[in-house]
Amino acid sequence: MKFLFELRRLLTAMLVALILLSSTSTTAFAITREQAINEIVALVNIERKKAGLRPLKLSRELLRPAAIRAREITKLFSHTRPNGMSFDTAFYGIIYKTVGENIAAGQTSSEMVMQQWMDSPGHRANILNKKYKYIGVAYLYDENTRYKHFWVQHFKG
C-alpha cells in the first residue's frame, strides 16, 4: 500500500513538472503561463487581505486539474466537463473537504480576468471563501479558438 502511495506521489510530481515545463511558452501578449499563475495568486490574495482573510497557498497539486480544465473549456465553456461530469471529477486522487472553480475566457490579462471575477457574485464568493486554503491556477492561450485566452482557478479547503 505504501508503495502505491509513493508511486502516485511520484507520478503527480512528474505531471506537475511537465505542466510547469510546458508553461514556459509565451502568448501574443508576452505573458507566460507561469507569470499568469503567479499574478492571479497575488491578485487573489490582495482581495482576500482587503476582506480580512488569510492568503491562499499555491497548491502544485491543484495545477493538474486546473490545466486539464483549461484545455476542456476551449471546447466546452462550462463547469460541466465535456464528458458530462462535474468539474470536480478532474480532482481525481486529491483529498479535499470542499472545492470550487472559477473559469473565464477572452480576458487578455490577469488584472482583467480578476476584475471580472470580482464583479461576479459567484466568482467573488469563491475567491473570498474563508473555507478555502489552497489555490491552483491555469492559463491557456489558443489562437485557434474564438476567445483565445482561457483562465481557471481551483480552490480547495
Side-chain angles (χ1 to χ4, degrees):
M1 187 69 163
K2 184 175 178 174
F3 170 77
L4 291 176
F5 175 77
E6 291 299 322
L7 180 61
R8 189 177 85 198
R9 208 168 90 183
L10 176 64
L11 290 173
T12 299
M14 289 173 58
L15 183 59
V16 168
L18 181 62
I19 290 167
L20 291 176
L21 287 173
S22 70
S23 71
T24 58
S25 65
T26 59
T27 70
F29 295 91
I31 185 172
T32 66
R33 290 180 188 149
E34 190 171 346
Q35 287 172 318
I37 290 168
N38 291 330
E39 287 175 8
I40 292 293
V41 173
L43 292 168
V44 163
N45 284 330
I46 287 169
E47 296 298 333
R48 289 179 65 85
K49 185 175 183 178
K50 287 182 198 175
L53 300 169
R54 67 177 174 243
L56 297 179
K57 296 176 186 171
L58 177 61
S59 167
R60 299 287 177 200
E61 174 182 58
L62 293 180
L63 293 177
R64 177 183 49 84
I68 290 168
R69 292 290 297 131
R71 283 189 299 278
E72 290 178 352
I73 65 172
T74 67
K75 294 169 183 50
L76 176 65
F77 189 78
S78 172
H79 293 291
T80 300
R81 300 179 70 190
N83 65 7
M85 300 182 84
S86 173
F87 77 88
D88 61 347
T89 60
F91 285 70
Y92 178 78
I94 297 174
I95 298 169
Y96 59 86
K97 292 179 184 174
T98 183
V99 293
E101 176 181 75
N102 285 348
I103 60 175
Q107 300 80 4
T108 58
S109 72
S110 302
E111 293 82 7
M112 184 184 289
V113 73
M114 274 300 297
Q115 186 60 56
Q116 289 187 349
W117 278 331
M118 291 305 291
D119 289 344
S120 163
H123 295 109
R124 180 184 186 89
N126 271 338
I127 291 166
L128 300 180
N129 188 323
K130 64 183 177 183
K131 293 180 183 177
Y132 295 142
K133 296 178 183 175
Y134 302 98
I135 186 171
V137 177
Y139 167 72
L140 177 69
Y141 177 78
D142 185 343
E143 66 183 23
N144 299 314
T145 61
R146 177 179 176 191
Y147 295 106
K148 298 186 182 358
H149 304 270
F150 299 88
W151 305 84
V152 176
Q153 290 179 321
H154 277 163
F155 303 95
K156 174 181 131 173

